[in-house]
């Protein structure tokens, strides 16, 4: 999927998925409340494939996502932008 391609730096797969219409700004849900007895809560994380490509240092995938219309202003539920996910 677009998440795995972005996270793993698989430009060939990413390009193929984008040509097939994959949502470049797709976000993921995260589960909160995993401790025993807690209520399970789902939260829209706001993380996009662009965040994942950045945090793993996959520059060519970042460029491809940006060229394909990735939202540079997308923020996660924790207020991270894609540039704040870039490794030092």
């Amino acid at each position: 999927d677009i998440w795995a391609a972005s996270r793993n730096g698989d430009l060939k797969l990413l390009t193929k998925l984008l040509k097939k219409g994959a949502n470049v700004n797709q976000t993921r849900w995260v589960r909160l409340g995993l401790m025993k007895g807690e209520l399970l809560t789902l939260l829209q994380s706001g993380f996009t494939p662009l965040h994942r490509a950045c945090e793993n240092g996959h520059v060519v995938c970042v460029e491809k996502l940006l060229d394909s219309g990735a939202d540079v202003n997308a923020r996660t539920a924790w207020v991270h932008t894609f540039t704040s996910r870039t490794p030092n």
Side-chain angles (χ1 to χ4, degrees):
D1 68 3
I2 192 168
W3 283 84
S6 299
R7 181 183 61 244
N8 298 328
D10 189 339
L11 181 60
K12 184 177 178 180
L13 177 59
L14 180 61
T15 301
K16 181 180 176 181
L17 292 168
L18 290 169
K19 283 182 181 177
K20 288 187 172 188
N23 181 356
V24 72
N25 293 306
Q26 178 185 19
T27 59
R28 284 263 167 116
W29 291 89
V30 292
R31 291 181 285 182
L32 302 176
L34 299 178
M35 301 299 288
K36 187 176 180 180
E38 289 186 358
L39 183 64
L40 177 64
T41 304
L42 291 176
L43 171 71
Q44 186 70 33
S45 71
F47 282 103
T48 65
L50 183 59
H51 290 103
R52 293 298 180 226
C54 283
E55 73 184 4
N56 289 295
H58 301 306
V59 176
V60 291
C61 289
V62 169
E63 291 171 344
K64 183 66 177 177
L65 290 163
L66 291 172
D67 290 344
S68 299
D71 182 1
V72 297
N73 296 309
R75 292 183 180 273
T76 70
W78 299 271
V79 197
H80 295 293
T81 61
F82 85 96
T83 55
S84 68
R85 303 301 293 179
T86 306
N88 296 329

